[in-house]
Amino acid sequence: MHASVLLGLLALAAVPGSARTLDYPFNIAARTPAAPDLTPAEIISQLGPQLSANSSIFADDDRRWANATERWQAYSRPNFVVVAEPATEADVPVIVKYANSYGIPFLAVNRGHGSTKTLGNMQNGIEISLAQLRSIQIAEDEKSALFGGGAFDGEVMDTLWEKGFVTGTGSCSCVSLMGPGLGGGHGRYQGFYGLIIDMLISLNVVLADGSTVTVNETSHPDLWWAMRGAGHNFGIVTSFEAEIHPRTVDEWFINRFIFTQDKLEAVFEVLNEQQQDGGQPQELMNYLAFSWDEEFSTTEPILDLFFHYVGSAEDAAPHLEPWEAIGPLSSTPQSLPYPEVPDATGTGLHSDMCQHGNTNMQFPFSIKEHNITATRQLWDYYVNVTTARPEFQQSIVVFQAYSLQGVQAVDPDSTAFPHRDDRIQCDVLVTYEPDDSLDEDAIAFGKQLRQHSADGHPGEEQHVYVNYAFGDEPVEQMYGYEPWRLERLRETKTKYDPDNVFRFYNSFM
């Protein structure tokens, strides 16, 4: 797999452990309903007439089924009996109320890139596809836009850029805007405007009982706090208003460097220097991956670095010099409009990174700075395993250094997102063609790679970016170690979802 697939991965840290036993008053019977006796045909005949004219509802004998249910992560995937695709926001509460009336679990699906193993707990349910809810309407004052809950990054980037605007998105064109946003939402513009959640103005939400609410600073403020960082646990966002900003440059400068393993220590010294004390300029981002790429070597992996700068090559030059001084194997500069950056860096809509069907397990971690000795050990282990096991050679280890200026400008207590001080987001992505016989070895491989980093940072809290958690990490690593955070989340959950209907995506209960 081409090394430039690294850009879509936005991740933080974890060492697996046990979750707490909870004493909250949840209706256990409602959380684990018996499988309904209804057949797919009966569900379609009953629910279909209740939906608006352009909605769809179908089962696995329909030609649309494979495309609607295919996922980026083949391991531990949800199982559905029907797909309901609403044409309007008003259809979503109808589907939720119907499912509740029969005790059928349901899961809202946007682009199908969620990778946590906990999604496999969804069995015999209804997929609520948001594929038709993709509208983008710029407000008259041109300071915000109203997005459909199914809007995805590529469409958002293209539409806004053409009109002279940008907003925060993830790094992959193919991924939804709100899916990652519910867990925080790291991305290339965070140095300027913060996380995706920091640009939100209002959410239109379908709650667990099928009721609809508008959620913002003054309407349901407790839910407003909780959904910005833990939103997968609280409802389905059918549309949302978010800030947009005038685009400040016409082109970004991108430089891809390829380094051989003998340059590893020098490379990570520069990464530490450029990220030191969180002082990385707003305009600067560095993404690096350990990966195999036959274009450069068939005998060992490479270090594949993408240098990003929001501006011209001339303005980027002082930050570029340390990388050139190391002596890269290859250096490829280019300037291009922002919507073309994903294609150029391996995370465009049609890139390898964005395609469904593989097993893609993620084992994220975050660090404040690189322990270069530990990084060398991580590299050696990665090389040894992938050399001995070629079936894992699509796997990569990613190190991402975004600017933190926009992220840290927001009060850390004002949202449920707990990790605003994490300087370097990292991820082990174990990728291979689906094969159940490889799953246990793949998990052991990913966890051991992550453990090498943890061993190199003794005494530090282990943090996990919830959007890319493997799914068995302690809840504190995903949602914060401060006791008040989890207490507040659980109180809000008890209020808005007492039957734990939204339980399939990295639950904190």
Side-chain angles (χ1 to χ4, degrees):
M1 184 173 75
H2 197 280
S4 60
V5 298
L6 65 99
L7 297 183
L9 308 174
L10 308 168
L12 315 167
V15 177
S18 301
R20 293 179 176 176
T21 301
L22 303 172
D23 298 319
Y24 280 77
F26 278 81
N27 183 336
I28 301 301
R31 284 198 293 162
T32 55
D37 294 330
L38 294 174
T39 66
E42 288 172 326
I43 295 173
I44 291 170
S45 67
Q46 293 175 3
L47 177 57
Q50 300 181 48
L51 303 179
S52 63
N54 293 319
S55 297
S56 299
I57 183 167
F58 50 89
D60 62 1
D61 58 351
D62 189 283
R63 61 180 176 79
R64 296 167 292 182
W65 179 265
N67 184 61
T69 60
E70 189 179 33
R71 300 192 63 83
W72 185 69
Q73 162 66 300
Y75 171 75
S76 191
R77 55 189 293 158
N79 171 269
F80 304 105
V81 293
V82 300
V83 172
E85 185 178 289
T88 71
E89 291 185 69
D91 291 313
V92 177
V94 173
I95 300 168
V96 169
K97 290 175 181 178
Y98 174 85
N100 285 339
S101 71
Y102 287 100
I104 306 173
F106 56 87
L107 184 71
V109 175
N110 196 319
R111 301 287 292 177
H113 286 84
S115 62
T116 176
K117 65 180 291 187
T118 65
L119 289 174
N121 296 329
M122 153 60 74
Q123 295 293 313
N124 301 316
I126 297 175
E127 174 184 319
I128 304 176
S129 169
L130 303 182
Q132 291 195 51
L133 305 182
R134 304 206 318 257
S135 59
I136 303 171
Q137 301 175 359
I138 295 176
E140 290 185 7
D141 65 5
E142 298 187 334
K143 294 182 179 179
S144 67
L146 181 66
F147 300 89
F152 67 92
D153 287 353
E155 285 185 324
V156 171
M157 291 178 190
D158 289 340
T159 299
L160 294 183
W161 188 265
E162 290 174 2
K163 297 181 182 299
F165 300 100
V166 296
T167 193
T169 70
S171 292
C172 282
S173 292
C174 55
V175 176
S176 73
L177 183 57
M178 184 46 59
L182 291 172
H186 286 288
R188 293 184 175 96
Y189 267 113
Q190 71 175 49
F192 293 88
Y193 310 122
L195 304 169
I196 292 175
I197 57 173
D198 301 328
M199 285 169 278
L200 295 177
I201 298 171
S202 184
L203 306 171
N204 292 318
V205 181
V206 177
L207 297 176
D209 63 0
S211 61
T212 59
V213 294
T214 297
V215 182
N216 54 41
E217 288 185 355
T218 58
S219 174
H220 305 281
D222 52 349
L223 193 56
W224 176 242
W225 177 86
M227 290 199 71
R228 291 176 298 151
H232 309 91
N233 288 271
F234 291 98
I236 301 172
V237 178
T238 56
S239 64
F240 58 97
E241 185 182 6
E243 297 172 356
I244 61 175
H245 303 273
R247 74 189 206 199
T248 57
V249 298
D250 290 332
E251 291 187 319
W252 286 42
F253 176 74
I254 308 293
N255 202 117
R256 184 187 183 196
F257 293 104
I258 304 298
F259 296 99
T260 50
Q261 63 84 24
D262 58 302
K263 309 292 187 180
L264 183 146
E265 283 75 12
V267 165
F268 280 89
E269 286 175 2
V270 174
L271 284 172
N272 275 341
E273 290 170 1
Q274 293 197 340
Q275 186 69 4
Q276 188 174 16
D277 298 325
Q280 186 169 317
Q282 291 175 303
E283 297 84 0
L284 177 63
M285 288 147 277
N286 291 317
Y287 303 151
L288 182 144
F290 299 165
S291 65
W292 287 83
D293 191 328
E294 293 183 354
E295 178 184 352
F296 299 102
S297 175
T298 59
T299 59
E300 67 177 9
I302 56 166
L303 284 74
D304 192 352
L305 171 74
F306 277 99
F307 171 99
H308 290 58
Y309 193 84
V310 186
S312 67
E314 291 75 16
D315 290 339
H319 307 286
L320 207 64
E321 291 174 359
W323 300 115
E324 296 285 5
I326 294 173
L329 179 67
S330 174
S331 175
T332 309
Q334 58 182 319
S335 294
L336 64 169
Y338 174 58
E340 296 180 18
V341 170
D343 287 326
T345 53
T347 60
L349 193 60
H350 303 293
S351 68
D352 288 345
M353 170 59 75
C354 279
Q355 303 316 303
H356 288 182
N358 275 336
T359 295
N360 290 291
M361 297 181 180
Q362 297 190 81
F363 303 89
F365 58 98
S366 71
I367 51 180
K368 298 186 184 305
E369 66 177 353
H370 297 283
N371 179 325
I372 297 177
T373 299
T375 304
R376 170 59 74 174
Q377 293 172 346
L378 194 158
W379 165 271
D380 290 341
Y381 182 73
Y382 170 80
V383 172
N384 290 339
V385 172
T386 55
T387 300
R389 303 287 299 272
E391 60 269 32
F392 292 142
Q393 285 188 3
Q394 295 183 75
S395 304
I396 60 177
V397 183
V398 183
F399 304 87
Q400 299 173 314
Y402 292 99
S403 172
L404 293 181
Q405 291 187 37
V407 179
Q408 293 183 330
V410 176
D411 179 358
D413 295 347
S414 65
T415 70
F417 183 78
H419 302 315
R420 290 184 180 273
D421 290 332
D422 289 334
R423 297 176 186 169
I424 305 165
Q425 290 111 48
C426 316
D427 194 21
V428 174
L429 175 64
V430 181
T431 299
Y432 52 101
E433 295 183 4
D435 183 340
D436 292 349
S437 69
L438 297 178
D439 290 346
E440 289 188 8
D441 288 347
I443 293 169
F445 174 41
K447 289 186 175 182
Q448 185 56 53
L449 279 168
R450 183 166 63 182
Q451 189 62 44
H452 277 297
S453 177
D455 291 344
H457 298 86
E460 294 184 13
E461 289 182 355
Q462 300 298 299
H463 293 174
V464 173
Y465 184 42
V466 67
N467 288 331
Y468 294 92
F470 178 65
D472 64 357
E473 298 91 344
V475 294
E476 291 83 359
Q477 293 183 5
M478 293 184 284
Y479 295 108
Y481 286 83
E482 306 99 316
W484 68 267
R485 284 190 178 275
L486 289 175
E487 183 69 20
R488 186 171 178 181
L489 283 172
R490 289 165 178 159
E491 287 177 354
T492 308
K493 179 75 167 177
T494 304
K495 177 179 177 181
Y496 289 98
D497 185 12
D499 293 332
N500 204 11
V501 169
F502 296 107
R503 61 187 180 274
F504 299 114
Y505 195 95
N506 294 329
S507 173
F508 46 75
M509 301 308 299

